[in-house]
Amino acid sequence: MTTTGEDHAAGRTGPAGLWWWPRRRSAVLDAGLALVSAAECAVEGVPFARDAGIPAAAGVVFGVLAGSVLLVRRQWPIAVVLVSIAITPAQMGFLMGIVGLYTLAASELPRRIIGALAGMSLVGTLIVTLVRVRQDMAHGDVAIGEWFVPFASITRSLGVTAPPVLLGLYVGARRRLMESLRERADSLERELQLLAERAEERAEWARNEERTRIAREMHDVVAHRVSLMVVHAAALQAVARKDPEKAVRNAALVGDMGRQALTELREMLGVLRSGEAVTGRRTAVPVPLAAVGAAAAAAASRMAEESAEGLAEGPRLTELEELVGQSAAAGMVVDLSVEGEARSYAPELEQTAYRVVQEALTNVHKHAAGAKTYVRLAHRVSEIAMQVENEPPPEVGSASSARLPSGGNGLVGMKERVVALGGVFLSGPTDAGGFRVSAVIPASV
């Protein structure tokens, strides 16, 4: 992976940094340039002191101090350029002027400031060169025509000012471009990381939805039939006459098998709902972005396909009478009433309505065996309503005669189904001591 802007900034401000220098080698470079500039200005300070009529030592000291300003070029480039402009009449600071203009142009300062200072340096160099060349021609040091004065002045001023400014502008633009690319790389990396996290969340959500759907389907499909098997076995124990001992043993075996099946089903439902596998909890491992996205898409697609298949093969409201008949055959006194004109609904709505009634009857078998039960189905204009209500069991001990285990997932599954379709689900005991389950689902689903 490429080095991002954050890593680059961390490297620049790390332990190797010193004051305003980003790296130690930058400090060494500036110190070397300042040393050379100070030596140059010190040498040039001798003729300056002679022309000014001051001691040579003073000129040397002045040159050393002026040339040393180059040490702070990164922090205060304006000050360096101003000092170089100030000492231009003294014929000092050639290196400092070039380096200062380059640093100024490469900095983040506004272009108007860079242009103003570069123009001041250009004009200052032009004037000083013009004066010096005229003095040299007046003294007879240069024997060339008058045209040479402006030519030399313009050439020298442009040669000293234009190249460092142009180079500095190019380096500054390139540096800003690199910083922009680093920021974009950082932003892209953060977005990719966020997308990976969201894709992993979607994949986990798809897995949880799949586990919950499987748990709900297994509970609704298997629990009812197994409960009826246990009820039939209990009834067989009570009515067997010809070979009572054998009938009782066989019936007890059927009942034990049914109870074991329900217990195992309850354990499996608990594992599915808690997200644990049979062999232990799944260990989360980091996966690449592409793999996570593919897993999420595959899980969502698989869930959609399996849900569509399940809905296509799921029960319909036309099978409700058969469902009630199965409970009646097991000894339950159940009354079915249908209100309104029957019509076809969306497959998921009919399946949900059927499962609610099925699970409610299963709970009656488990907790109120022998109680009279009323099943009501109402076809309304914009909704379908269903209600399953049972009276208290005739005897206190009859409710536990079959000893049917309960996992507590039935009411939860019914509510999940109804709420997922935008409906309302209510359940609870009645004033008479029975239990009531009610659900209303919009018919527009």
Side-chain angles (χ1 to χ4, degrees):
M1 183 178 295
T2 59
T3 304
T4 61
E6 294 178 355
D7 298 334
H8 182 72
R12 292 173 57 182
T13 58
L18 179 63
W19 293 344
W20 56 79
W21 288 286
R23 291 176 294 271
R24 189 176 299 275
R25 63 181 181 181
S26 300
V28 173
L29 174 62
D30 288 354
L33 290 174
L35 183 61
V36 174
S37 178
E40 176 201 354
C41 292
V43 173
E44 295 170 345
V46 174
F48 167 71
R50 183 175 61 251
D51 296 339
I54 60 176
V60 172
V61 172
F62 174 75
V64 171
L65 293 178
S68 300
V69 177
L70 200 59
L71 189 67
V72 297
R73 69 182 184 94
R74 297 178 189 267
Q75 187 71 6
W76 297 292
I78 296 179
V80 175
V81 174
L82 290 176
V83 171
S84 67
I85 294 174
I87 64 175
T88 298
Q91 294 276 312
M92 299 171 60
F94 178 78
L95 176 63
M96 182 170 60
I98 294 177
V99 176
L101 287 174
Y102 164 80
T103 306
L104 177 70
S107 65
E108 300 294 334
L109 292 173
R111 293 295 178 87
R112 62 179 182 275
I113 297 178
I114 297 175
L117 291 176
M120 292 172 58
S121 178
L122 175 66
V123 172
T125 305
L126 178 64
I127 295 174
V128 171
T129 305
L130 183 65
V131 172
R132 288 293 182 178
V133 172
R134 284 190 177 278
Q135 290 178 352
D136 292 342
M137 292 183 65
H139 294 158
D141 297 337
V142 179
I144 305 178
E146 291 293 332
W147 63 268
F148 181 75
V149 176
F151 174 78
S153 302
I154 295 174
T155 303
R156 184 176 187 275
S157 59
L158 288 177
V160 172
T161 306
V165 171
L166 294 177
L167 181 61
L169 290 175
Y170 167 75
V171 172
R174 184 176 180 275
R175 182 184 302 154
R176 286 187 290 271
L177 176 61
M178 295 301 295
E179 291 294 335
S180 175
L181 293 177
R182 290 192 186 97
E183 291 177 359
R184 292 178 62 182
D186 290 340
S187 177
L188 181 59
E189 186 174 356
R190 286 191 295 266
E191 290 179 2
L192 290 176
Q193 185 176 2
L194 181 60
L195 288 175
E197 293 175 356
R198 289 181 177 177
E200 188 172 359
E201 291 176 359
R202 288 196 297 269
E204 185 63 26
W205 174 84
R207 288 192 291 266
N208 291 336
E209 286 294 319
E210 185 75 0
R211 284 194 292 264
T212 303
R213 188 186 70 85
I214 294 174
R216 188 166 54 236
E217 290 295 330
M218 291 181 62
H219 185 278
D220 292 341
V221 173
V222 180
H224 179 73
R225 302 186 187 279
V226 176
S227 298
L228 290 180
M229 183 181 67
V230 177
V231 172
H232 278 297
L236 181 61
Q237 288 178 316
V239 301
R241 291 291 184 269
K242 292 186 178 182
D243 191 355
E245 294 183 0
K246 183 176 180 180
V248 168
R249 288 195 302 270
N250 292 339
L253 179 61
V254 173
D256 292 338
M257 292 175 59
R259 282 186 287 271
Q260 291 175 5
L262 284 178
T263 301
E264 294 174 357
L265 174 63
R266 185 175 67 251
E267 294 174 354
M268 185 179 299
L269 293 177
V271 170
L272 289 172
R273 288 187 178 276
S274 62
E276 294 181 358
V278 177
T279 58
R281 185 174 297 275
R282 181 180 57 88
T283 303
V285 294
V287 292
L289 172 62
V292 172
S301 176
R302 185 179 63 255
M303 185 175 65
E305 292 175 0
E306 293 182 359
S307 298
E309 293 177 2
L311 292 174
E313 301 175 358
R316 315 285 293 194
L317 286 177
T318 54
E319 305 174 16
L320 195 60
E321 187 174 354
E322 180 182 355
L323 176 67
V324 173
Q326 293 175 358
S327 295
M332 177 187 294
V333 180
V334 56
D335 178 63
L336 172 64
S337 62
V338 180
E339 301 177 3
E341 183 179 356
R343 61 184 187 274
S344 60
Y345 300 94
E348 59 267 26
L349 190 150
E350 294 204 18
Q351 182 178 357
T352 299
Y354 182 93
R355 295 301 188 198
V356 168
V357 176
Q358 181 187 55
E359 179 58 28
L361 292 176
T362 302
N363 287 341
V364 175
H365 284 296
K366 290 180 179 180
H367 308 294
K372 187 174 181 178
T373 305
Y374 302 91
V375 179
R376 299 181 179 90
L377 180 67
H379 299 275
R380 300 171 183 170
V381 177
S382 59
E383 61 187 16
I384 179 173
M386 63 227 66
Q387 177 178 292
V388 179
E389 180 180 351
N390 64 274
E391 298 178 353
E395 298 179 3
V396 178
S398 62
S400 59
S401 59
R403 298 189 301 277
L404 291 172
S406 175
N409 293 319
L411 294 177
V412 175
M414 284 190 284
K415 185 175 182 180
E416 289 176 351
R417 285 180 178 274
V418 174
V419 172
L421 299 180
V424 178
F425 178 84
L426 296 174
S427 63
T430 61
D431 296 336
F435 199 84
R436 180 187 298 118
V437 173
S438 303
V440 179
I441 306 175
S444 58
V445 174

